[in-house]
């Protein structure tokens, strides 16, 4: 029993790894100044971006930055850069719109896994994701996979 107690103490001191960290996919992009600049721009121009990207008249009701997404066990599984609740042509959307900001897109596979994971955590039908980035190399592939894309131009 004496051997087990130090082991249990060690185990209780370890910090749980996030899902993304377990996959080796921490989003270091969130630490860049460019990322913050793009988030500011999206928040300031949200209605016009949505009108342009979705082709619908939109009235923004509520915007929330870094919205935590919880797993079924109530652990934080990720953060959406910007979540929007809006009225579309006068009708309230129950689903919300999520903006995922990328200062660069090195791998579309990582981006798609991240967005799929967020969809699972949201557990909503017809949730719209808009990827915003100055890196436009993968915009067609992003759209082909059912997501929207908006180019950030400084």
């Amino acid at each position: 029993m004496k051997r087990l107690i130090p082991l249990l103490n060690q185990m209780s001191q370890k910090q749980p790894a996030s899902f993304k960290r377990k996959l080796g996919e921490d989003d270091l992009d969130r630490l860049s100044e460019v990322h913050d600049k793009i988030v500011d721009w999206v928040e300031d121009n949200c209605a016009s971006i949505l009108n342009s990207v979705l082709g619908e008249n939109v009235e923004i009701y509520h915007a929330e930055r870094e919205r935590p997404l919880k797993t079924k066990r109530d652990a934080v599984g990720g953060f959406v850069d910007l979540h929007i609740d809006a009225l579309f042509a006068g009708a309230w959307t129950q689903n919300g719109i999520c903006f995922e900001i990328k200062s660069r897109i090195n791998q579309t596979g990582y981006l798609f896994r991240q967005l799929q994971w967020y969809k699972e955590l949201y557990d909503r039908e017809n949730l719209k994701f808009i990827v915003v980035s100055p890196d436009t190399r993968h915009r067609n592939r992003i759209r082909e996979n059912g997501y929207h894309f908006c180019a950030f131009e400084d």
Side-chain angles (χ1 to χ4, degrees):
M1 184 68 169
K2 287 183 180 180
R3 287 183 177 171
L4 186 58
I5 291 174
L7 180 61
L8 290 173
N9 286 338
Q10 272 184 332
M11 290 172 60
S12 68
Q13 292 174 0
K14 289 183 181 178
Q15 295 295 318
S18 69
F19 175 77
K20 289 166 66 172
R21 183 166 291 146
K22 286 179 187 176
L23 293 177
E25 298 178 342
D26 284 331
D27 191 357
L28 299 177
D29 191 38
R30 292 179 191 274
L31 303 176
S32 82
E33 290 178 25
V34 175
H35 180 272
D36 288 348
K37 184 177 185 177
I38 299 170
V39 175
D40 291 342
W41 176 78
V42 170
E43 190 170 19
D44 292 344
N45 298 285
C46 210
S48 63
I49 292 169
L50 290 172
N51 289 336
S52 172
V53 171
L54 301 177
E56 301 179 47
N57 284 334
V58 177
E59 183 181 337
I60 305 304
Y61 173 72
H62 176 73
E64 183 179 358
R65 285 181 133 174
E66 298 299 336
R67 183 180 200 165
L69 300 175
K70 302 258 181 137
T71 65
K72 290 178 181 159
R73 294 183 181 181
D74 209 34
V76 175
F79 293 87
V80 169
D81 291 319
L82 187 63
H83 174 92
I84 302 296
D85 292 315
L87 292 169
F88 285 86
W92 177 254
T93 176
Q94 296 277 330
N95 301 315
I97 300 151
C98 300
F99 286 91
E100 184 56 36
I101 311 301
K102 297 291 181 195
S103 60
R104 67 190 175 291
I105 302 171
N106 293 328
Q107 297 179 6
T108 55
Y110 166 68
L111 174 64
F112 296 148
R113 282 190 299 276
Q114 182 182 14
L115 295 176
Q116 285 296 103
W117 174 241
Y118 288 175
K119 276 185 175 181
E120 288 294 317
L121 294 175
Y122 259 95
D123 193 28
R124 295 182 184 182
E125 294 292 320
N126 301 317
L127 182 65
K128 291 177 177 24
F129 276 93
I130 301 173
V131 177
V132 181
S133 179
D135 183 350
T136 60
R137 294 173 296 155
H138 308 290
R139 68 177 158 221
N140 290 337
R141 176 131 326 169
I142 290 166
R143 289 176 179 145
E144 289 166 1
N145 279 273
Y147 304 106
H148 300 280
F149 183 85
C150 176
F152 170 75
E153 295 178 15
D154 195 8

